[in-house]
Amino acid sequence: MIEKKRMEKKVKNRWIRLILWLLLSVLLAVGAECLFNYQAYSEGYDAIEISDNYLQKGKNRTYRISFETPTFVNKLYIQGSFSEKTAYTIHATAVNAFDTEEAVKIKDYVYPELQMGATILNRRISSLEIVFPAKKEFSIERIHVSNQRHWNKYRMLFFLLIFFLIIVILMERSMLLKHLELVYLAASLGFGSLIILTAGGYPAGWDETVHYQIVQGLNLEDEIQESDAVRRNYEWPRLKINTEEEQSTYRAFIDHQSQVEQTAIPNLTASWKNYLIYFPMAVFQKAARMMHLSYPREYDAGRFGNLIFCVLLNCLTIRLAKRRKLLIASTAILPTQLFLSSVYSYDGVLWAYLTLGVVLLLNQEEDGEPIRVGQWILANVLIILSCLIKPVYAPVLLLNFTLIGKVLPKEMKARKKVIRIGIVLAVLIVLGVVILLQPTIALLYNGELSMAGDIRAEGTDMGFQLTSVLHHPIAFLKMLVHEVFTLDNLRSLGSKKSSYLASNQMFLNLYTLGTLKNAWSFVLLPFLGSLFLLAPGVMEDGPAKKQTRGLSTAAIILSVMLTWLSMYLAFTSVGAQKIDGVQARYYLPLLLPLSYVVTGRRLKLNMSKERYVQGMLLCCLLLTGMTVYQAMSVHIF
């Protein structure tokens, strides 16, 4: 009874401290926003008009203004009537903090959907020139600059989250060890919400347009209603919106378009597989529609459905995991995995299913208790669900053999007998599949079977590509090994034009929202090395069993090969001596099995577990915070 009261008091005190930390974070966030508005407070002024300062300069229309003394300009605003996308170029003479003049050139766009444009200058300016191409048909109503006080709610939420997490990590060390999933919950929901709210009510990339179109069709009706707004979000690329004012204007425009031009079309995407994968997004989107929210909020609701579902599954995974809790939490907070859980995509769901399945499976291998059939079935169902999304991860099912010692008798003779029977059955299954598919294989070998590849890539045909592989097996194997180990195509957009490191693309990439530059690898790589290789002396995580390491290695190798093979068949033009389309994020689901292979068995760290977890989480917070802030600053600051 006394112990119970003591625990209740301890929990109550923790909640009181968290509330106090939250209030302190609010004050710090308000202080940070005041600093961002310092120039507006100290040098604020009403809008300065530029529209009347028009001159014809060559073939271009030019608007120009000069200031008697250098004046701080926060934003430039353009209003008018535009019939098509119109580029404008800003030439400014800026005076830096050392009173030295610098030439600044910025190119931006005005879109007919917005009929306005805004550009962030955030500089002290002595002269300014805005140039429009004369060949475009448009009329200018107003051009002005301003330096007015503006409290950016997204920036305040960002700093509130950052300050709160830093304080909790530094001051609540016992929570990090006992309730790591709660820290993950706060960080992932906070950063994920910021990504959703600032990315706009439109796709953040081509992939999201495809996933969104599938989610739109997930209802029980034969027909679905599509508006102009919905059809716009089936397309890519979208508008280049880089200020809060432009985003707000576009949200109003797209909401209006959602109420006109409703068209009924046949529902072709509501398959049972899609329901298993996309149901969180579809449910939240449907709920927003029933609540009569605006179309952009309805679009965001689907993203929130994905985020909340993935985060809750990951919290359960962290809670249940008997080893590698910190690795699971950290990699789930890092930008790329967080982004995949915050947009219309099945990759976040796949990672959550597969990681939870692996944890449930290998937890039983860790303890000495008899096998729990229900848990074993659930683990395999989750892994199979992830394989329905991307079959290339099917080799992870090999981890089932880690439980063979609990299923088979301990006598070696009995084990050998069962293993021989298993090998015979496996051979019979392979032979049966080959016999059943013999006609198909013959057609492929003769080049008489055509199967469509990915519509994004030109010259693809899976049937003809398989034919090419069957006719040139040695050349294909040499090319496959070369491509896998050179990593030339391990990029965010599947393009060799990208110069970012593969590690940055795997962890610090928000797709079209931006990637941290390569210099951040000096933080990322030591962080990953410490996460995988180091362990303080009091950590419970010891090396995994030899059988587990071997099976994990086999699963990783086979999954990697299948990934590259699938992209060669579906995304690469027929007969090409390269493999296109492989992205670094495809390796993310293999991180947990990899952690069972690469362990800190020989590398010990003379540091307490609390300090180790604090350091890793602070490093993770730095990387994620910088990536998210960079994306926000490009789009809305």
Side-chain angles (χ1 to χ4, degrees):
M1 187 67 178
I2 297 176
E3 184 66 25
K4 182 179 180 181
K5 288 184 177 180
R6 186 181 299 156
M7 289 301 299
E8 289 177 353
K9 184 178 179 181
K10 190 174 181 180
V11 172
K12 181 180 179 181
N13 290 339
R14 176 179 292 167
W15 278 108
I16 292 174
R17 290 198 307 272
L18 289 176
I19 293 173
L20 291 176
W21 300 146
L22 182 60
L23 292 175
L24 176 60
S25 301
V26 171
L27 293 176
L28 291 173
V30 171
E33 190 62 21
C34 289
L35 290 177
F36 278 102
N37 279 277
Y38 170 76
Q39 295 288 352
Y41 282 115
S42 60
E43 304 178 40
Y45 54 83
D46 293 331
I48 298 176
E49 300 292 336
I50 307 179
S51 311
D52 297 334
N53 302 337
Y54 168 78
L55 59 94
Q56 191 74 27
K57 191 175 181 180
K59 295 183 180 181
N60 298 323
R61 304 184 191 184
T62 304
Y63 296 83
R64 186 172 186 178
I65 188 172
S66 297
F67 300 98
E68 293 183 3
T69 59
T71 303
F72 188 87
V73 177
N74 183 17
K75 289 182 182 178
L76 168 76
Y77 297 93
I78 298 171
Q79 293 173 306
S81 177
F82 299 84
S83 59
E84 58 181 315
K85 175 182 175 182
T86 303
Y88 61 92
T89 305
I90 300 172
H91 299 274
T93 302
V95 180
N96 65 23
F98 297 95
D99 293 326
T100 302
E101 291 189 345
E102 298 176 341
V104 177
K105 181 180 179 181
I106 302 174
K107 185 177 181 179
D108 208 343
Y109 300 90
V110 181
Y111 297 92
E113 294 91 339
L114 305 182
Q115 298 297 318
M116 62 82 66
T119 304
I120 299 173
L121 295 176
N122 203 31
R123 293 176 173 88
R124 194 178 300 278
I125 302 294
S126 60
S127 66
L128 189 65
E129 189 175 84
I130 304 98
V131 181
F132 291 89
K135 61 181 180 179
K136 298 283 187 177
E137 293 295 329
F138 60 89
S139 63
I140 299 292
E141 297 176 5
R142 186 186 184 195
I143 301 180
H144 67 282
V145 294
S146 74
N147 184 28
Q148 297 175 334
R149 184 178 72 251
H150 174 64
W151 288 55
N152 190 300
K153 56 183 180 294
Y154 300 118
R155 187 164 55 207
M156 291 183 66
L157 286 172
F158 174 82
F159 281 103
L160 170 62
L161 177 64
I162 289 292
F163 290 133
F164 179 71
L165 289 174
I166 290 176
I167 292 172
V168 168
I169 291 172
L170 293 178
M171 305 302 294
E172 299 292 334
R173 288 187 291 175
S174 61
M175 177 182 289
L176 302 184
L177 300 181
K178 296 180 180 179
H179 301 287
L180 181 60
E181 68 277 3
L182 296 182
V183 180
Y184 161 75
L185 180 69
S188 56
L189 287 181
F191 284 121
S193 297
L194 284 170
I195 291 173
I196 293 170
L197 294 173
T198 59
Y202 47 87
W206 190 94
D207 285 350
E208 193 174 10
T209 65
V210 177
H211 296 300
Y212 173 67
Q213 190 168 0
I214 295 173
V215 172
Q216 279 294 107
L218 294 184
N219 56 51
L220 302 177
E221 302 172 3
D222 294 330
E223 291 185 337
I224 56 176
Q225 296 292 325
E226 284 188 353
S227 64
D228 179 63
V230 172
R231 288 189 291 272
R232 279 175 172 269
N233 282 345
Y234 290 169
E235 303 169 359
W236 181 258
R238 298 304 308 145
L239 284 59
K240 181 184 178 183
I241 293 176
N242 49 24
T243 63
E244 188 178 3
E245 292 84 356
E246 289 176 332
Q247 189 179 100
S248 177
T249 303
Y250 184 76
R251 282 179 173 270
F253 166 78
I254 201 74
D255 185 43
H256 175 266
Q257 295 302 111
S258 69
Q259 302 170 29
V260 298
E261 300 185 37
Q262 293 280 347
T263 306
I265 66 168
N267 186 1
L268 303 176
T269 62
S271 69
W272 65 271
K273 176 182 174 182
N274 290 335
Y275 278 109
L276 291 173
I277 298 169
Y278 295 100
F279 77 89
M281 292 163 259
V283 169
F284 272 67
Q285 189 187 85
K286 183 70 173 178
R289 194 173 303 152
M290 293 174 64
M291 295 168 62
H292 303 290
L293 298 182
S294 66
Y295 174 76
R297 294 307 177 197
E298 176 190 314
Y299 190 91
D300 288 345
R303 286 171 161 173
F304 271 110
N306 189 28
L307 175 65
I308 292 172
F309 179 75
C310 293
V311 166
L312 291 179
L313 272 186
N314 292 337
C315 282
L316 180 62
T317 303
I318 297 167
R319 183 67 180 172
L320 295 177
K322 294 185 177 180
R323 62 162 66 220
R324 296 304 192 182
K325 288 178 181 284
L326 182 60
L327 182 138
I328 297 170
S330 298
T331 51
I333 296 174
L334 285 176
T336 301
Q337 187 57 48
L338 194 62
F339 173 78
L340 295 173
S341 302
S342 303
V343 294
Y344 286 91
S345 172
Y346 51 45
D347 290 279
V349 177
L350 184 155
W351 194 89
Y353 282 157
L354 188 64
T355 306
L356 180 55
V358 171
V359 164
L360 291 176
L361 197 62
L362 294 184
N363 271 356
Q364 297 199 64
E365 189 264 350
E366 293 288 320
D367 57 43
E369 300 178 8
I371 188 170
R372 294 179 289 277
V373 178
Q375 183 175 322
W376 175 77
I377 292 173
L378 177 59
N380 281 280
V381 167
L382 290 168
I383 296 174
I384 290 170
L385 282 174
S386 67
C387 294
L388 287 177
I389 300 174
K390 288 186 177 179
V392 297
Y393 302 113
V396 175
L397 290 168
L398 288 173
L399 295 177
N400 278 286
F401 287 100
T402 59
L403 303 179
I404 194 169
K406 292 189 176 185
V407 178
L408 301 179
K410 293 184 178 180
E411 294 79 6
M412 185 59 68
K413 185 176 181 181
R415 286 192 180 188
K416 287 183 178 180
K417 184 177 180 180
V418 173
I419 291 172
R420 288 169 183 167
I421 293 174
I423 293 173
V424 172
L425 288 175
V427 171
L428 290 176
I429 290 172
V430 171
L431 288 175
V433 170
V434 170
I435 292 171
L436 289 172
L437 296 180
Q438 190 273 333
T440 304
I441 295 173
L443 289 173
L444 284 173
Y445 189 81
N446 295 324
E448 299 174 4
L449 185 62
S450 176
M451 293 180 287
D454 197 305
I455 61 175
R456 292 170 293 179
E458 297 180 359
T460 62
D461 188 293
M462 293 177 64
F464 293 156
Q465 192 75 292
L466 275 171
T467 301
S468 175
V469 170
L470 291 172
H471 281 280
H472 308 90
I474 304 300
F476 168 73
L477 289 175
K478 290 173 61 178
M479 182 268 296
L480 178 63
V481 172
H482 174 269
E483 292 288 284
V484 170
F485 286 99
T486 55
L487 304 178
D488 284 343
N489 197 30
L490 203 59
R491 306 298 181 195
S492 62
L493 305 178
S495 171
K496 292 186 178 182
K497 296 179 181 179
S498 173
S499 60
Y500 291 101
L501 291 177
S503 58
N504 291 44
Q505 293 297 330
M506 192 185 303
F507 296 101
L508 308 181
N509 169 42
L510 298 183
Y511 201 60
T512 58
L513 300 184
T515 304
L516 285 189
K517 59 184 180 181
N518 283 336
W520 282 98
S521 62
F522 288 107
V523 178
L524 176 65
L525 295 179
F527 164 72
L528 293 174
S530 301
L531 199 61
F532 277 88
L533 297 176
L534 294 180
V538 297
M539 290 287 280
E540 293 85 356
D541 287 3
K545 294 180 181 179
K546 184 176 180 181
Q547 185 182 39
T548 303
R549 296 200 303 271
L551 289 169
S552 297
T553 302
I556 292 168
I557 293 173
L558 290 173
S559 292
V560 168
M561 292 300 178
L562 286 174
T563 298
W564 287 82
L565 173 62
S566 66
M567 296 309 294
Y568 184 68
L569 296 178
F571 202 85
T572 307
S573 57
V574 176
Q577 198 167 349
K578 61 177 182 177
I579 300 177
D580 287 330
V582 179
Q583 300 182 29
R585 62 185 172 90
Y586 295 162
Y587 285 176
L588 286 173
L590 301 175
L591 291 179
L592 184 57
L594 178 63
S595 71
Y596 282 82
V597 179
V598 183
T599 65
R601 179 171 52 174
R602 293 188 174 90
L603 298 176
K604 297 296 181 181
L605 187 64
N606 188 20
M607 179 185 292
S608 68
K609 185 176 181 180
E610 291 88 348
R611 295 299 185 190
Y612 174 72
V613 174
Q614 278 181 319
M616 292 296 98
L617 289 178
L618 286 174
C619 190
C620 186
L621 183 61
L622 170 66
L623 294 170
T624 304
M626 286 302 303
T627 309
V628 173
Y629 186 83
Q630 174 182 275
M632 293 171 63
S633 64
V634 170
H635 289 83
I636 61 167
F637 292 167

